[in-house]
Amino acid sequence: MTVEGADGPGAGRRPTRRRERTRARLLEAAFRVFAAKGFGRVSIEEVCEAAGYSRGAFYSNFATLDELFFALYRERAELIADQVAGALATDAADAADRGAAGGSDGDGADLDVRAAVDRVTEVLLLDLDWLLVKTDFLVHAARRPDVARTLLEHRARLRRAIADRLARAHTYTPLPAVLGDADTAAHAVVAAYDGVTTRLLLDKDVDGARAWLRQLLTALLTDGGTRRAEERGPARSTTDTH
C-alpha cells in the first residue's frame, strides 16, 4: 500500500502533481466501491484499499467520506454538463449558419429544439453505476440539510442553463402553453430525466431509456403532434399528397 506524505505550503510542483494523481485515484476507487456496495456501507479504509493508498493519503485530500462523495458528484455532474453544452453548442452553430444564410442575426435564437433534443439524448451519460451512486447521494442528501442545500443549488444552476437555451429557442419552436415560461419548461426537462433514469435503474435498458427520454422531451417542448402537423406545411392540401 502506498504511503502518501503531506504536501505542505512549501512543497514543490511535483508533490502538487502527485497529490492531484492521488486525489484522482481516490475518486476513481471510491466510485467503484460506492457503485458496488452503496454509500453508507463503505468505510474510508475500503476506499483506501481499493485505491492502494493509506489513510494518510485520504486525509491529505478529503476530510470525510461526505466530502469525497460530493467531489465525485461534482466531477460527474460537470461531465454531464459538458456533454449537454457540447451538444447544444453544435446545434447552436448550425442555427447560426442558418441565420447567416437567411439574413437573421445568427445569435442562436432560432435553435431547433427537436435537433437539440436528439443531440442531447445521443450523448447524455446514462451510466448505470453512476446512476446508482447518484441515487445513493440523493438519499444521503435528503437526510443532511447542508448537503441538500448544496445539491439544490447545483440543480438550480443546471435548470437555469436549460431555461436560457429554451428561451432563446422559443421563436423557432414555441413552448407548449401548458408549460408557461422557459423556467417551468426547464423544471419539466429535469423531471423527465429523473423519471427516465429511475426506470433505467430497474430495467437496465439504456437504449430504451434514450428513446423514451427523446420522446418525452420532444413531446414536452414542442407540443408533439401539433408541431409535426404544422411542420408538414406544404403538404396540407389533399390534392398534392403522395
Side-chain angles (χ1 to χ4, degrees), residues 107-111 113 159-175 181-183 185-186 221:
D107 66 354
D110 60 346
L111 176 69
V113 172
R159 284 198 304 271
R160 285 195 295 270
I162 294 172
D164 176 67
R165 294 304 299 164
L166 293 175
R168 293 172 63 188
H170 181 72
T171 58
Y172 185 79
T173 306
L175 294 171
D181 58 15
D183 185 62
L221 301 177

Side-chain angles (χ1 to χ4, degrees), residues 33-242:
V33 178
F34 289 153
K37 301 185 68 174
F39 187 77
R41 298 184 177 89
V42 175
S43 67
I44 289 175
E45 289 78 8
E46 287 175 294
V47 172
C48 292
E49 182 179 355
Y53 287 118
S54 68
R55 287 175 64 93
F58 181 93
Y59 287 116
S60 70
N61 288 276
F62 305 101
T64 64
L65 274 179
D66 287 357
E67 184 180 329
L68 181 150
F69 199 111
F70 204 73
L72 179 63
Y73 184 91
R74 287 198 306 270
E75 184 181 84
R76 294 290 170 138
E78 287 168 4
L79 172 61
I80 292 174
D82 287 345
Q83 290 175 328
V84 173
L88 292 179
T90 299
D91 196 64
D94 292 344
D97 289 342
R98 291 194 301 270
S104 68
D105 58 13
D107 66 354
D110 60 346
L111 176 69
D112 187 337
V113 172
R114 289 180 180 277
V117 166
D118 285 344
R119 293 185 195 277
V120 168
T121 54
E122 283 171 7
V123 304
L124 195 62
L125 180 67
L126 291 178
D127 176 71
L128 286 167
D129 283 344
W130 162 241
L131 293 176
L132 284 170
V133 172
K134 188 189 80 165
T135 300
D136 274 338
F137 186 82
L138 289 171
V139 174
H140 175 67
R143 295 188 173 96
R144 292 281 302 277
D146 55 333
V147 178
R149 283 193 296 271
T150 303
L151 182 57
L152 285 171
E153 289 167 3
H154 169 78
R155 287 169 67 89
R157 286 195 298 271
L158 176 62
R159 284 198 304 271
R160 285 195 295 270
I162 294 172
D164 176 67
R165 294 304 299 164
L166 293 175
R168 293 172 63 188
H170 181 72
T171 58
Y172 185 79
T173 306
L175 294 171
V178 68
L179 288 178
D181 58 15
D183 185 62
T184 303
H187 277 78
V189 168
V190 173
Y193 175 80
D194 288 344
V196 167
T197 53
T198 297
R199 172 175 169 172
L200 174 59
L201 278 172
L202 301 177
D203 65 19
K204 310 296 191 290
D205 183 1
V206 175
D207 291 338
R210 290 192 190 282
W212 183 228
L213 184 61
R214 182 181 295 111
Q215 292 174 21
L216 271 178
L217 294 182
T218 301
L220 277 171
L221 301 177
T222 63
D223 253 348
T226 301
R227 292 296 302 169
R228 284 195 294 272
E230 292 174 355
E231 287 167 1
R232 289 195 294 266
R236 292 169 69 183
S237 170
T238 57
T239 61
D240 58 7
T241 56
H242 306 295

